[in-house]
């Protein structure tokens, strides 16, 4: 099932990691057919003749733009600049810098800048803006500060507000928020006055960093600089609140915007409509559209409404909205269709989603990778991995190259269906096609390998992930630590734990809890306690999972005093014990033979108003049954039915075993068997055998036959199985009938009906 035909998107450009300077010497022969005239049309030829006196910079600029690549343009320029009638002009240099910048040839750009300076050609901010764009396009954002330093040091140019705005905006777009902070600090230190655009960019940066309060303070600071917020300022803040899931906060910003006299635009209204729809507040969105004077819904508005309706499961209304869009003359675009497909997929309506896809294609609306990824992901979650794989092949054949999300969905689907080998093959194919795995890819595979106890391969993948520079994900390390602890390889788990600190991966409560539990399971409880102290020192608060690991250890060791101390410490440290904690303590008390204390603890928990679960009751019922105190066990069982959570399968089987093993009147055991079967719980045959033996000894074979018939009915025995057992019962071969019954029950165990 490996997708041998899948190919990944190539990068839109090639990042040049090893720069080279294009030589400035004239290294090509010049055709004798080249003619400089006022109507120059050739772009690829030149002559050895000198430039004519009337040759203008605009003519050279036109020739440079016609060159097939930046190398040809640069060679032509170097030849022309050596001619007697050549005159330097900024537009020529800017054209060449732009061409070199588009391919990332930074060294050649810097050499050309030096040539521009030596030829006394004016250099201004616009020249360096080309460098900013180049660095941003090739993700060399850390070099932007160096550009400003170069301007100031070598060209005595002080960047003005507009230049800073461009630089800040490029950094915000790339989410380089630390660099934004550094550059803004320099701007303030140099006394460069901000304008409204500066504030808008900085507010957007703060919103991206989830710092809404500082963003509001920045809005409030604008009048101190003689500036008034504009529509973009308020809209940016509204979007920030919406991204944080606080639509009401966005609406408050809208009120502030109106109070300040700033008019709502189509963009700002659409931002709010989209926010309301994302929260499923469709009626409010519709009222808002209706109440906003002068606002006419556009394609974005309707798409937001369709998306909101589909996200909240109102597919029918979403389709009606689509019909309304068509009536109003709006063309459905890929976003409209994707919303419908996503909504249908969430409801598991895959066939209907594929129908929408076909409709989309029939209307000449091309699906995108999001469309296919939505369908592929849903098919994988529904365990239709083969269908998802086939769709991926269709995707490839139509020219839609799979991305990392496509591969992740397929790999996850294969792992969930236990096709780990094929998943690993697809992982290798993914890398061969040039699609880099992300942290989620590694998380899926490492978790799958750990669950299959293939820890050596999981550790190899971790090393590969670290080596290739993939973002380190704490979940991956937690999964490995858990897998190693479960395989009793605690020392290796500790190594991974220490490695996280060296690699700068923040350890979470889950990390600590997993290792603490592993240490307790290995009876290294003192080290577990030390690790809990370290956890607290790192600012992480132990939770019920932390304490329960140590509680289980002391209960298993029969050290009830220390177990009780653990529960007390939980309360003192602000971690209130829950029913699972108390259930563990009750189990420990019962194992230590202190049933009376366990019963008293149950009563005290009831008095606290805590709803008791089978986890708390079952140990006490089991302990009472072992002591042949089945009457007390039955009372406790009935109490659980009345006051606590309903008994589970374990509760029934514990009491059934106790009643059948001679712990009470046989009729009580018969009645309880009937009650258990009516709940759809099949009895364990060993205990049922004791009951059958007792009934036969009392000559109550008719009762035994009735019970066996009920077991066969509730167990959905096949007709042939029923015929054999009934035949044996009819000729009073009770032991043979019970032997057949036991064999069938063993095959069905622990199935619940």
């Amino acid at each position: 099932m490996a997708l041998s035909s899948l190919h990944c998107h190539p990068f839109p450009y090639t990042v040049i990691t090893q720069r080279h300077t294009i030589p400035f010497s004239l290294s090509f022969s010049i055709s004798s057919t080249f003619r400089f005239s006022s109507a120059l049309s050739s772009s690829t030829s030149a002559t050895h003749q000198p430039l004519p006196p009337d040759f203008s910079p605009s003519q050279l600029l036109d020739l440079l733009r016609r060159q097939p690549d930046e190398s040809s343009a640069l060679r032509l320029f170097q030849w022309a600049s050596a001619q007697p009638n050549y005159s330097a002009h900024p537009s020529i240099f800017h054209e060449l810098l732009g061409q070199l910048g588009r391919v990332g040839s930074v060294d050649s750009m810097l050499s050309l800048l030096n040539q521009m300076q030596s030829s006394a050609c004016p250099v201004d901010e616009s020249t360096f803006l080309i460098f900013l764009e180049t660095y941003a396009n090739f993700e060399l954002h850390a070099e932007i500060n160096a550009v400003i330093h170069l301007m100031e040091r070598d060209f005595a140019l002080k960047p003005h507000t507009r230049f800073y705005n461009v630089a800040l905006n490029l950094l915000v777009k790339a989410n380089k928020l630390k660099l934004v902070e550094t550059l803004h600090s320099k701007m303030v230190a140099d006394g460069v006055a901000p304008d409204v655009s500066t504030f808008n960019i900085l507010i957007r940066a703060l919103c991206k960093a989830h710092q809404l309060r500082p963003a509001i303070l920045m809005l409030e600071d604008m009048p101190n600089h003689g500036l008034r917020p504009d529509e973009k300022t308020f809209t940016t803040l509204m979007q920030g609140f919406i991204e944080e899931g606080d639509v009401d906060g966005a609406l408050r910003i809208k009120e502030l915007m109106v109070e300040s006299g700033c008019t709502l635009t189509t963009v700002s209204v659409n931002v709010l409509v989209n926010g309301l729809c994302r929260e499923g507040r469709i009626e409010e969105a519709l009222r808002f559209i209706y109440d906003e004077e002068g606002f006419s819904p556009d394609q974005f508005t309707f798409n937001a409404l369709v998306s909101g309706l589909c996200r909240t499961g109102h597919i029918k209304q979403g389709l009606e909205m689509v019909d309304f869009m068509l009536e109003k003359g709006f063309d459905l675009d890929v976003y409209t269709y994707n919303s419908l497909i996503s909504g249908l997929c969430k409801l598991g309506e895959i066939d209907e989603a594929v129908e929408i896809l076909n409709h989309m294609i029939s209307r000449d609306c091309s699906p995108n990778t999001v469309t296919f990824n939505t369908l592929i992901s849903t098919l994988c979650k529904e365990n239709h991995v083969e269908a998802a794989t086939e769709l991926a092949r269709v995707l490839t054949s139509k020219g839609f190259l799979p991305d990392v999300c496509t591969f992740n969905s397929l790999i996850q689907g294969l792992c969930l269906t236990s096709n780990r080998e094929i998943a690993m093959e697809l992982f290798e194919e993914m890398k061969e096609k040039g699609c880099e795995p992300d942290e989620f890819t590694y998380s899926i595979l490492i978790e799958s390998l750990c669950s299959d106890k293939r820890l050596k391969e999981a550790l190899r993948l971790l090393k590969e992930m670290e080596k290739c520079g993939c973002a380190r994900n704490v979940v991956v390390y937690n999964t490995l630590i858990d897998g190693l602890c479960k395989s009793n390889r605690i020392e290796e788990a500790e190594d991974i734990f220490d490695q996280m600190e060296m690699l700068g991966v923040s350890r979470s409560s889950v990390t600590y809890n997993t290792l603490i539990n592993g240490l307790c399971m290995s009876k290294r409880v003192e080290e577990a306690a030390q690790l809990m102290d370290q956890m607290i020192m790192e600012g992480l608060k132990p939770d019920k999972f932390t304490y329960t690991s140590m509680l289980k250890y002391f209960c298993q060791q029969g050290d009830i005093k220390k177990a009780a101390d653990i529960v007390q410490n939980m309360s003192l440290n602000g971690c209130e014990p829950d029913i699972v904690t108390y259930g563990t303590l009750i189990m420990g008390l019962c194992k230590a033979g202190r049933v009376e204390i366990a019963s008293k603890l149950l009563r005290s928990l009831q008095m606290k108003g805590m709803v008791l679960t089978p986890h708390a009751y079952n140990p006490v019922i089991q302990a009472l049954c072992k002591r042949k105190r089945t009457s007390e066990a039955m009372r406790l069982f009935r109490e659980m039915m009345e006051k606590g959570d309903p008994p589970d399968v374990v509760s029934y089987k514990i009491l059934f075993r106790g009643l059948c093993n001679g712990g009470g009147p046989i009729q009580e055991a018969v009645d309880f068997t009937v009650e258990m079967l009516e709940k759809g719980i099949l009895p364990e045959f060993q205990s049922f055998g004791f009951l059958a033996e007792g009934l036969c000894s009392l000559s109550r074979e008719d009762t035994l036959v009735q019970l066996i018939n009920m077991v066969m009915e509730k167990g959905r025995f096949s007709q042939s199985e029923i015929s054999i057992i009934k035949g044996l019962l009819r000729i009073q071969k009770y032991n043979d009938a019970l032997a057949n019954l036991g064999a069938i029950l063993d095959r069905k165990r622990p199935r619940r009906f």
Side-chain angles (χ1 to χ4, degrees):
M1 288 176 64
L3 299 179
S4 58
S5 60
L6 290 181
H7 300 279
C8 281
H9 278 300
F11 283 98
Y13 45 73
T14 302
V15 179
I16 300 174
T17 55
Q18 191 172 13
R19 307 290 179 194
H20 65 277
T21 303
I22 299 173
F24 285 161
S25 60
L26 196 62
S27 59
F28 64 100
S29 60
I30 305 170
S31 168
S32 59
T33 61
F34 185 84
R35 294 289 183 270
F36 290 105
S37 66
S38 59
L40 282 171
S41 59
S42 173
S43 63
T44 58
S45 55
T47 70
H48 288 294
Q49 299 175 7
L51 291 174
D54 60 348
F55 185 72
S56 67
S58 62
Q59 289 174 311
L60 179 56
L61 184 63
D62 180 61
L63 278 174
L64 292 172
R65 288 172 177 167
R66 293 169 186 251
Q67 296 308 301
D69 53 50
E70 76 287 348
S71 300
S72 301
L74 191 57
R75 288 195 295 269
L76 175 62
F77 165 74
Q78 296 298 352
W79 176 81
S81 61
Q83 301 306 305
N85 294 323
Y86 169 79
S87 60
H89 194 275
S91 63
I92 303 296
F93 284 99
H94 288 177
E95 172 62 27
L96 284 167
L97 287 171
Q99 289 192 30
L100 292 167
R102 282 192 285 275
V103 296
S105 190
V106 176
D107 288 347
S108 295
M109 291 175 70
L110 291 170
S111 296
L112 194 63
L113 181 65
N114 290 333
Q115 189 173 350
M116 189 176 182
Q117 185 181 34
S118 62
S119 63
C121 185
V123 177
D124 58 18
E125 284 188 354
S126 62
T127 310
F128 290 96
L129 285 174
I130 301 169
F131 280 86
L132 293 187
E133 294 286 347
T134 300
Y135 285 131
N137 287 339
F138 286 90
E139 299 183 9
L140 301 169
H141 298 92
E143 303 297 325
I144 285 177
N145 274 322
V147 172
I148 296 174
H149 182 65
L150 178 67
M151 288 173 64
E152 294 173 333
R153 184 195 64 197
D154 293 357
F155 294 87
L157 284 173
K158 285 288 181 184
H160 294 101
T161 304
R162 177 177 170 271
F163 190 88
Y164 272 108
N165 287 350
V166 172
L168 288 167
N169 191 47
L170 289 169
L171 293 173
V172 173
K173 275 185 178 179
N175 210 31
K176 304 294 181 182
L177 304 181
K178 192 67 181 174
L179 293 175
V180 171
E181 185 180 346
T182 303
L183 187 59
H184 178 241
S185 298
K186 175 171 173 52
M187 182 180 179
V188 172
D190 289 350
V192 179
D195 60 11
V196 174
S197 292
T198 315
F199 276 96
N200 289 347
I201 294 164
L202 294 172
I203 287 171
R204 184 154 60 95
L206 289 167
C207 289
K208 275 193 165 193
H210 312 287
Q211 298 182 38
L212 294 180
R213 182 58 190 157
I216 295 288
L217 293 174
M218 188 157 281
L219 169 76
E220 294 171 350
D221 187 46
M222 289 180 74
N224 297 330
H225 296 267
L227 302 170
R228 290 186 59 186
D230 61 9
E231 180 267 341
K232 193 169 185 178
T233 319
F234 290 108
T235 304
T236 302
L237 271 169
M238 284 189 268
Q239 186 64 43
F241 275 96
I242 287 166
E243 292 299 327
E244 294 296 307
D246 186 0
V247 180
D248 292 327
L251 290 169
R252 289 194 297 272
I253 297 295
K254 176 253 182 185
E255 295 302 323
L256 187 64
M257 179 179 181
V258 173
E259 288 172 13
S260 71
C262 188
T263 306
L264 284 165
T265 65
T266 299
V267 174
S268 49
V269 173
N270 277 338
V271 163
L272 289 167
V273 169
N274 186 51
L276 289 165
C277 289
R278 282 171 63 171
E279 295 295 312
R281 295 159 64 172
I282 310 298
E283 290 185 9
E284 287 180 69
L286 290 168
R287 280 200 304 271
F288 184 71
I289 293 167
Y290 180 79
D291 293 340
E292 195 58 42
E293 292 183 11
F295 173 72
S296 295
D298 58 12
Q299 182 87 25
F300 184 92
T301 319
F302 283 113
N303 278 349
L305 290 166
V306 172
S307 177
L309 288 165
C310 293
R311 187 181 287 113
T312 53
H314 297 96
I315 300 295
K316 183 181 177 183
Q317 290 86 341
L319 290 167
E320 289 171 357
M321 184 66 71
V322 166
D323 290 338
F324 182 75
M325 287 175 69
L326 292 170
E327 287 176 18
K328 294 296 180 182
F330 288 101
D331 287 328
L332 307 185
D333 58 21
V334 67
Y335 302 104
T336 324
Y337 283 111
N338 281 353
S339 296
L340 292 171
I341 289 170
S342 177
L344 287 165
C345 284
K346 283 180 182 176
L347 295 176
E349 305 288 349
I350 301 174
D351 291 340
E352 288 78 0
V354 172
E355 192 176 321
I356 293 292
L357 173 65
N358 292 331
H359 184 269
M360 176 182 188
I361 295 168
S362 70
R363 292 183 62 89
D364 294 327
C365 180
S366 297
N368 58 16
T369 308
V370 173
T371 319
F372 285 106
N373 281 350
T374 303
L375 286 163
I376 288 169
S377 175
T378 305
L379 286 166
C380 289
K381 287 175 184 174
E382 296 288 327
N383 290 332
H384 301 308
V385 183
E386 289 187 16
T389 306
E390 183 57 35
L391 184 57
R393 294 189 188 283
V394 172
L395 181 154
T396 308
S397 67
K398 298 292 183 183
F400 293 95
L401 302 179
D403 59 11
V404 68
C405 294
T406 320
F407 280 107
N408 284 349
S409 294
L410 290 168
I411 289 170
Q412 186 173 43
L414 289 165
C415 288
L416 289 173
T417 53
S418 300
N419 290 303
R420 294 186 183 91
E421 296 304 326
I422 301 172
M424 290 301 296
E425 287 176 18
L426 186 58
F427 173 67
E428 293 301 327
E429 186 175 340
M430 173 184 187
K431 292 184 289 184
E432 288 172 10
K433 302 297 183 186
C435 184
E436 291 295 328
D438 61 12
E439 65 271 23
F440 188 58
T441 322
Y442 286 103
S443 294
I444 298 165
L445 290 168
I446 288 173
E447 182 179 1
S448 179
L449 290 168
C450 285
S451 67
D452 203 28
K453 300 190 182 302
R454 293 162 61 178
L455 295 170
K456 185 177 180 181
E457 293 171 74
L459 288 165
R460 180 183 60 78
L461 274 186
L462 177 68
K463 290 188 181 299
E464 180 181 316
M465 183 185 80
E466 292 170 347
K467 187 177 179 181
C468 72
C470 182
R472 296 183 175 97
N473 187 340
V474 66
V475 176
V476 174
Y477 291 92
N478 290 348
T479 302
L480 268 169
I481 290 171
D482 183 55
L484 290 165
C485 287
K486 284 177 179 175
S487 297
N488 203 29
R489 294 165 63 173
I490 305 299
E491 290 78 9
E492 290 174 82
E494 289 177 294
D495 289 342
I496 297 290
F497 181 86
D498 294 336
Q499 188 180 338
M500 291 175 72
E501 184 177 22
M502 290 187 291
L503 294 171
V505 181
S506 298
R507 295 177 291 212
S508 65
S509 296
V510 175
T511 320
Y512 276 96
N513 288 346
T514 305
L515 189 53
I516 286 170
N517 186 60
L519 289 166
C520 289
M521 294 283 284
S522 297
K523 300 182 180 180
R524 294 165 58 184
V525 70
E526 290 183 7
E527 292 171 72
Q530 291 171 3
L531 198 59
M532 187 188 290
D533 292 338
Q534 182 181 332
M535 179 182 184
I536 294 167
M537 288 174 63
E538 288 197 12
L540 295 170
K541 191 175 180 181
D543 55 22
K544 61 183 180 182
F545 300 104
T546 324
Y547 289 106
T548 300
S549 296
M550 303 187 74
L551 180 63
K552 281 181 182 177
Y553 170 80
F554 288 120
C555 285
Q556 287 166 357
Q557 298 299 308
D559 194 338
I560 301 304
K561 184 181 182 305
K562 284 189 177 178
D565 289 343
I566 291 287
V567 176
Q568 188 176 9
N569 286 334
M570 286 180 72
S571 298
L572 292 173
N573 292 329
C575 180
E576 198 60 36
D578 61 7
I579 193 60
V580 175
T581 312
Y582 285 115
T584 304
L585 181 58
I586 288 167
M587 184 182 294
L589 287 165
C590 291
K591 280 186 176 180
R594 304 170 75 171
V595 185
E596 305 306 326
I597 297 174
S599 297
K600 285 180 182 178
L601 181 55
L602 273 178
R603 297 285 166 262
S604 68
L605 295 176
Q606 281 179 331
M607 291 177 67
K608 286 182 179 180
M610 192 174 283
V611 178
L612 302 182
T613 65
H615 181 70
Y617 275 108
N618 287 348
V620 183
I621 293 172
Q622 186 172 33
L624 291 168
C625 285
K626 282 182 178 179
R627 288 161 178 75
K628 307 296 182 184
R629 294 161 61 179
T630 51
S631 296
E632 294 173 67
M634 180 62 79
R635 280 199 301 273
L636 208 56
F637 182 87
R638 298 302 177 198
E639 178 186 298
M640 176 168 37
M641 295 183 78
E642 293 173 13
K643 299 179 180 178
D645 282 353
D648 60 11
V649 176
V650 176
S651 312
Y652 277 98
K653 291 191 175 181
I654 289 170
L655 189 53
F656 175 70
R657 194 180 302 128
L659 291 168
C660 293
N661 290 351
I666 197 165
Q667 186 56 46
E668 190 174 23
V670 170
D671 293 341
F672 192 78
T673 306
V674 173
E675 179 182 339
M676 185 169 67
L677 286 166
E678 287 175 347
K679 293 286 185 182
I681 303 169
L682 294 179
E684 290 177 343
F685 179 70
Q686 185 178 9
S687 300
F688 188 80
F690 286 127
L691 177 59
E693 187 179 329
L695 289 169
C696 289
S697 67
L698 296 172
S699 301
R700 295 183 59 181
E701 288 84 356
D702 290 346
T703 303
L704 176 59
V705 171
Q706 289 174 3
L707 289 177
I708 290 174
N709 286 335
M710 282 191 71
V711 170
M712 290 192 295
E713 179 189 346
K714 295 296 181 181
R716 297 176 186 172
F717 283 28
S718 69
Q719 194 57 49
S720 62
E721 291 169 338
I722 293 170
S723 298
I724 292 170
I725 293 171
K726 280 190 173 182
L728 291 168
L729 291 172
R730 194 171 295 117
I731 60 173
Q732 298 183 4
K733 293 278 189 180
Y734 297 113
N735 288 335
D736 292 340
L738 286 167
N740 276 275
L741 181 74
I744 297 167
L745 285 176
D746 283 342
R747 287 201 302 270
K748 291 180 177 293
R749 191 164 50 100
R751 188 175 175 185
R752 182 179 177 181
F753 296 89

